[in-house]
Amino acid sequence: RTVLTARMDAQPADPLPVLAFIELAFTQNEPALVPDLADRALRAIAKDPSAQSPARDRLFRILAKQLAAARVAAQTNSPAELANPGAANVIKPLTDLALLSQLEKRLALAAESTGERVTALFERSWLQDAQQKPSASIEALPEILADDSLATVDMTRLELPGMGSDRTTAGDVATSQLATLLTKTGPAPYALFDEEAQRALAALPAQPTYAQLARISRQYPFAASATL
């Protein structure tokens, strides 16, 4: 730890010592140190994004693994530790929702590819639901449906344990999760998206094509005005 601190201070533009410190913090059960360390890593990465892509990807994977472990443990009501593939140690799932929320914010900032962005949005939705914030949980999912590059992401290629489904695209999974959430909350949290669907329909030509209507229906699957 002393060596890593010295390296960070000596090389503030190098995110690698910071990433090593983040991994050490989790290993030594000091996760509260991670948000500030992640911010430091993100600042270093931002100074030269093209050269630091592997570092950004490594930060994303570190944070994603912790959030996934926490989600799986919460969803299965099991305190069991999750094995860290290829390593002798295990991940102890975090249970502090406030801390997990801080990690999720850094995960979103580290996300770059479409798969990473989808992963971050699904974890945000779960975490908001876990914090009894159904409206915020619901709001994360239409972001996936609104962007075809996100909605078509192959879920089998993502590291989202505990989110197994026979639905293979992110759009299908987002729609399914929206249905589950709205069954619990009722339609009120979806009202904003219903209004968006109405505006999208109003912007179509007088004789819209089936493809145009189908796209709005996919983007707003629970809007009364957009049902085909």
Side-chain angles (χ1 to χ4, degrees), residues 9 25 28 59 75 99 155 163 176 191 207 212 215 217 221 225 228:
D9 291 341
Q28 295 191 343
L59 174 61
Q75 290 174 339
L99 175 58
M155 290 293 290
M163 209 172 281
S176 176
Q207 294 184 322
Q212 290 172 321
R215 186 170 190 272
S217 182
S225 57
L228 289 178

Side-chain angles (χ1 to χ4, degrees), residues 11-192:
Q11 301 170 295
D14 185 358
L16 296 184
V18 187
L19 296 176
F21 204 152
I22 290 173
E23 292 172 326
L24 181 65
F26 283 127
T27 301
Q28 295 191 343
N29 197 31
E30 295 183 284
L33 298 176
V34 172
D36 287 343
L37 289 169
D39 287 342
R40 185 166 179 170
L42 287 165
R43 286 195 297 271
I45 291 167
K47 291 179 180 178
D48 190 0
S50 61
Q52 303 290 12
S53 183
R56 182 209 52 75
D57 184 60
R58 181 177 166 190
L59 174 61
F60 182 89
R61 292 198 310 271
I62 293 169
L63 298 177
K65 182 179 292 186
Q66 293 293 331
L67 283 158
R71 173 173 48 78
V72 171
Q75 290 174 339
T76 59
N77 294 315
S78 171
E81 297 172 334
L82 300 184
N84 184 5
N89 61 315
V90 294
I91 300 173
K92 293 183 178 180
L94 300 174
T95 58
D96 183 336
L97 294 178
L99 175 58
L100 285 166
S101 182
Q102 292 186 59
L103 298 185
E104 179 272 317
K105 288 180 173 63
R106 278 72 179 180
L107 180 77
L109 291 171
E112 187 172 71
S113 70
T114 54
E116 289 172 345
R117 290 165 60 198
V118 163
T119 297
L121 286 167
F122 276 129
E123 297 296 18
R124 178 186 301 171
S125 179
W126 162 72
L127 189 55
Q128 295 298 325
D129 187 40
Q131 295 180 97
Q132 305 299 314
K133 299 177 181 178
S135 294
S137 178
I138 287 169
E139 287 171 7
L141 299 172
E143 285 193 46
I144 295 172
L145 296 171
D147 187 333
D148 287 343
S149 70
L150 301 184
T152 56
V153 165
D154 184 350
M155 290 293 290
T156 64
R157 296 180 177 273
L158 303 184
E159 295 183 12
L160 280 167
M163 209 172 281
S165 170
D166 57 355
R167 300 173 178 84
T168 57
T169 69
D172 286 343
V173 174
T175 299
S176 176
Q177 290 193 2
L178 270 173
T180 299
L181 288 166
L182 290 170
T183 298
K184 293 191 299 183
T185 66
Y190 200 73
L192 174 65

